[in-house]
Structure formats: C-alpha cells, structure tokens
C-alpha cells in the first residue's frame, strides 16, 4: 500500500549528493576527510572535548559501556521505556539491565525511582533522552556521585537537545548520538560517542579500531574491534549537520501545527515540555484513549501509524530477567495510549491537515 502520510523520510537531496560526488572523485571511501569534518562540526556544536565515530547507535552504546569496564556481574540501570537497543547493548556486555519506570508526562526516566534500583552490583546508569527532550540530569548526577556510578547517556534521538544549556550526551561520562535514517540528522547508519574524559577517549579509540590508534599499522597494542564509519556516510552527515538549524525549525513548526489543529480534542493529550530542556521533536507523541481502533482507522485512511516503544520488562528477549507484567504501570499505560505522529521535515501542510482531520473524525465518532 502506498501511504498518503508516511511515518518517516530522511531530508536528503542536492547537498548530500554533492558531498558524495566529492568522496567518489577523491577515491577515498573509508574514514577520511568527511569523517574528520563531521567530528569537528559535532564537537563544536556539542562542546564535547572528544568524540569518536561508530557504525550505529547500538554498537556505540556497547562500545561506551566497554570503555566504562561494564561487564559480567555488573548491573546497569536503564528506563524500561526506550528502544530495545539501550538495554540490548547492556546485555551484550554480559551485564544485567535493571529497569526503572518512566515519567508519565515527559516519558523520560523517573529520576525519583532510580535510587531504589541501586544495588551493590550497580556499575552505571543509562539515562535515555526520549523523543527529542532531555531527561532531568541533575538528580541522576547526584545519585551517580553518591554511589560512585558511571553515566552513559543514550542520546540517540537527541542531536540538538540541550539540558540547561549542555548538549545531551556530554553530561555523563560518555554519551551516544545515532545517525540512523529516521533520526533528526542522518548518515543512513552511524553514531558518535562523546566524552570529556581523555582516558575514556583513548580507550574508545583503541576499542573501535582494532586495538591501535592509527590505521595502517599492523602492530596492535590492545584488543579491539572494527567500529568505524565510512567517508560515504560522513559526506552525507556533513551536509545534514549543516542543515540542522533548518531541520530543527521545520520539526518545531510541525509540532506546533499539530498542537494547534488538535487542541480541542478532549480525548487526546501531548507529551509535556520540560522547562530544563529544549525540544527537537523526533516524533510527536500523543496519547489517545481508544488507541487500537484509532490506529485501524488511520491505516485504512492510508496514514502510516507507529506505536510508542514496547515496555522492556515485557520484551520476550528480556523474559530471563524475571519481571512481571504489572511491575511498571507507567510504561504500560504509555504503551496502551501512545501514538507517534510523523515529524519529518518533508511532511507537507496538506499531509498534516489531512492527518489531523482524520484523527478528529475518528476520535469524535468513538
Ligand atoms: C535509534 C536508537 C538507538 C539505536 O541507534 P541505531 O543507530 O539505530 O543503532 C538506541 N537508543 C534509542 C533511544 C534510539 O532511538
């Protein structure tokens, strides 16, 4: 079926194509000119002291956890409402993900519930900045200090999102931003790991590039893997970063249009905006009372729908952790009501109006 309103589309065109042509003409397609430039722009924008690239956000989280020496017998606290990869990366180090419920209004980790989840085995906390807003980091930093824990921020969805003026991903020990195709800025696949700690930076460099600091040498002081990106991807990425201000503006405008057009529907509510964070809408999440029916109706109107994340404590792959269905009532409630509306820059006003008209029709009918 061809959708009238798709869920996501990358905002790519001429500029990306030009940079790709430059890369092809240079005949240098592994890490090179564009990867360096990509990193430079990211470091300037985020004010991170150090940054390394990785193939995607999932392995970047894995790499970040390895740099913090997270492994077997450790526990890492993570919200139970996030993309599966946050907890998957923890499990792949051999550590145990420990879930904490989220805040019903902004969908981020409920910092007030973290302390109860801390045990002697807790090594780190992984706050996840969800749907384009920052978590409340101050209480998390306080707990990390009190219990001597590391912080790895999953900022996969939050390029351009700042917490009290600091870019997400630069507040904890390490932080990860993803450049997957549906994120605000994209390389198709790709990610960056940010840190302000020179020792962690060195560890990350060895780990990501076969246990050596520079390609071309066959002497490997340490064990490492290959977590590199390509100049083809970063050629696209550089063009994307240069467009970021525009992307942010359009996404905010789309969000405001939704809020305006859907403001009088009693049955619907929007995610709350936190005063400590700006908002770069990754998706626009609304909560609806009669979700399954609404989804069926929208799909038959050729609108591509997307539910919110499935709570991690109910994921089949995490059944071994032994959580019960009702352990996390807030995430359960969000899952039963939450719907993602598209916020990609290519969305037209006609598409938004069509989508809102249909939502209004289906919620009023009941
Ligand atoms: C996209 C995403 C990831 C994974 O990033 P990839 O680049 O797709 O591997 C991790 N966590 C969150 C919250 C995400 O949205």
């Amino acid at each position: 079926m061809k959708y009238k309103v798709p869920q996501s589309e990358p905002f790519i065109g001429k500029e990306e194509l030009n940079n790709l042509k430059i890369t092809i003409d240079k005949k240098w397609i592994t890490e090179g000119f564009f990867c360096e430039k990509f990193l430079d722009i990211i470091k300037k924008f985020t004010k991170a002291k150090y940054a390394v690239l990785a193939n995607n956000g999932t392995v970047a989280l894995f790499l970040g956890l390895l740099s913090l020496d997270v492994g077997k017998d450790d526990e890492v606290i993570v919200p139970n409402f996030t993309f599966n990869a946050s907890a998957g990366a923890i499990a792949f180090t051999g550590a145990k993900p420990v879930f904490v419920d989220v805040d019903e209004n902004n969908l981020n980790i409920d910092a007030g519930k973290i302390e109860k989840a801390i045990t002697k085995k807790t090594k780190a906390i992984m706050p996840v900045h969800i749907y384009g807003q920052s978590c409340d980091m101050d209480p998390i930093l306080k707990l990390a200090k009190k219990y001597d824990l590391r912080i790895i921020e999953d900022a996969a969805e939050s390029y351009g999102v700042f917490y009290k003026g600091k870019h997400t991903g630069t507040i904890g020990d390490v932080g990860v931003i993803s450049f997957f195709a549906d994120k605000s800025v994209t390389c198709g696949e790709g990610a960056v790991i940010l840190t302000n700690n020179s020792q962690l930076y060195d560890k990350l460099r060895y780990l990501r590039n076969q246990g050596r600091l520079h390609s071309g040498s066959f002497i490997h002081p340490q064990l490492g893997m290959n977590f590199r990106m390509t100049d083809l991807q970063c050629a696209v990425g550089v063009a994307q970063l240069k467009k970021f201000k525009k992307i942010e503006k359009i996404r905010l405008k789309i969000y405001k249009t939704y809020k305006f057009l859907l403001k009088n529907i009693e049955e619907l509510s929007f995610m709350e905006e936190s005063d400590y964070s700006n908002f770069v809408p990754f998706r626009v999440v609304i909560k609806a009372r009669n979700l399954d029916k609404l989804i069926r109706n929208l799909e038959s109107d050729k609108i591509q729908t997307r539910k919110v994340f499935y709570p991690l404590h109910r994921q089949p792959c995490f059944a071994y952790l032994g959580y019960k269905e009702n352990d996390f009532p807030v995430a359960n409630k969000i899952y039963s009501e939450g719907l993602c509306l598209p916020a990609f820059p290519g969305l037209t006003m006609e598409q938004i109006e069509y989508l809102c008209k249909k939502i209004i029709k289906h919620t009023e009918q009941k």
Side-chain angles (χ1 to χ4, degrees):
M1 176 168 67
K2 179 114 175 63
Y3 283 109
K4 280 189 184 161
V5 185
Q7 181 65 215
S8 178
E9 234 171 50
F11 190 50
I12 46 178
K14 266 204 322 283
E15 299 86 347
E16 287 77 8
L17 213 53
N18 282 342
N19 283 358
L20 277 172
K21 184 170 183 321
I22 294 170
T23 311
I24 304 277
D25 287 344
K26 276 181 190 289
K27 300 205 187 308
W28 188 276
I29 56 176
T30 56
E31 291 193 333
F33 171 79
F34 276 112
C35 289
E36 281 301 314
K37 201 165 159 93
F38 191 55
L39 278 173
D40 278 348
I41 300 174
I42 292 169
K43 278 192 282 185
K44 270 203 195 95
F45 183 69
T46 62
K47 300 207 164 65
K49 268 201 196 137
Y50 310 103
V52 301
L53 298 171
N55 333 60
N56 58 62
T58 309
V59 298
L61 287 170
F62 177 64
L63 192 56
L65 289 160
L66 292 184
S67 77
L68 299 175
D69 297 320
V70 169
K72 205 170 151 290
D73 299 328
D74 293 328
E75 294 179 0
V76 178
I77 291 173
V78 62
N80 72 326
F81 181 76
T82 170
F83 183 50
N84 204 63
S86 316
I90 296 168
F92 260 78
T93 67
K96 179 179 162 187
V98 172
F99 302 141
V100 166
D101 216 347
V102 290
D103 182 295
E104 183 174 349
N105 299 313
N106 62 32
L107 317 186
N108 274 316
I109 191 163
D110 186 338
K113 290 186 178 151
I114 294 176
E115 191 160 18
K116 269 208 303 229
I118 296 173
T119 73
K120 283 202 294 287
K121 291 186 168 179
T122 308
K123 179 90 168 233
I125 305 173
M126 182 190 285
V128 183
H129 307 292
I130 213 94
Y131 291 130
Q133 279 200 107
S134 169
C135 301
D136 191 4
M137 290 299 292
D138 282 342
I140 298 173
L141 290 165
K142 227 187 233 167
L143 284 173
K145 200 160 179 204
K146 181 170 168 192
Y147 293 95
D148 190 26
L149 307 175
R150 309 279 78 79
I151 294 178
I152 172 166
E153 297 173 71
D154 180 342
E157 299 174 1
S158 62
Y159 187 83
V161 177
F162 293 80
Y163 173 73
K164 298 184 180 175
K166 286 188 182 160
H167 197 285
T168 49
T170 68
I171 303 159
D173 296 283
V174 291
V176 164
I177 301 173
S178 161
F179 302 109
F180 179 65
D182 78 344
K183 308 296 201 240
S184 303
V185 281
T186 181
C187 309
E189 299 271 7
V192 68
I193 308 171
L194 307 173
T195 183
N196 290 319
N197 179 318
S198 63
Q199 275 166 325
L200 290 176
Y201 174 57
D202 280 342
K203 266 169 122 172
L204 289 165
R205 286 170 75 205
Y206 280 107
L207 282 166
R208 73 180 296 276
N209 190 14
Q210 314 279 17
R212 62 191 170 178
L213 292 180
H214 301 288
S215 295
S217 161
F218 292 118
I219 307 208
H220 304 258
Q222 297 184 15
L223 276 175
M225 290 288 283
N226 178 353
F227 292 98
R228 298 186 305 259
M229 282 181 77
T230 69
D231 245 28
L232 291 166
Q233 294 167 308
C234 289
V236 172
V238 165
Q240 287 275 293
L241 296 184
K242 288 188 173 166
K243 291 202 281 205
F244 176 70
K245 279 288 153 211
K246 188 170 168 191
I247 291 173
E248 179 183 27
K249 221 167 121 186
I250 301 174
R251 283 183 176 267
L252 272 171
K253 187 173 169 212
I254 291 170
Y255 167 64
K256 285 185 179 142
T257 309
Y258 281 132
K259 277 202 102 167
F260 177 74
L261 292 175
L262 298 173
K263 67 175 183 281
N264 292 325
I265 320 293
E266 204 210 323
E267 219 191 291
L268 298 181
S269 61
F270 285 81
M271 188 172 128
E272 189 181 275
E273 287 173 68
S274 309
D275 53 10
Y276 45 73
S277 172
N278 65 323
F279 185 30
V280 182
F282 169 59
R283 294 287 202 286
V284 174
V285 178
I286 55 168
K287 291 188 239 171
R289 255 174 252 155
N290 220 327
L291 184 64
D292 288 333
K293 192 163 165 220
L294 179 60
I295 286 178
R296 273 198 309 277
N297 283 326
L298 292 176
E299 286 282 338
S300 64
D301 292 329
K302 298 196 162 112
I303 293 162
Q304 190 176 26
T305 57
R306 183 74 47 90
K307 279 198 180 189
V308 296
F309 297 122
Y310 191 55
L312 295 183
H313 72 286
R314 290 160 62 185
Q315 292 286 4
C317 66
F318 291 121
Y320 73 94
L321 294 171
Y323 288 104
K324 291 190 196 69
E325 170 98 17
N326 295 322
D327 280 351
F328 300 96
V330 181
N332 282 343
K333 182 160 186 279
I334 294 168
Y335 180 71
S336 69
E337 297 180 344
L339 182 68
C340 293
L341 304 182
F344 63 92
L347 205 61
T348 65
M349 271 305 141
E350 290 73 40
Q351 284 173 313
I352 298 174
E353 279 166 11
Y354 173 77
L355 171 51
C356 290
K357 214 169 72 193
K358 294 297 180 187
I359 289 177
I360 291 166
K361 177 175 158 218
H362 299 313
T363 44
E364 279 175 352
Q365 270 181 358
K366 275 202 229 144

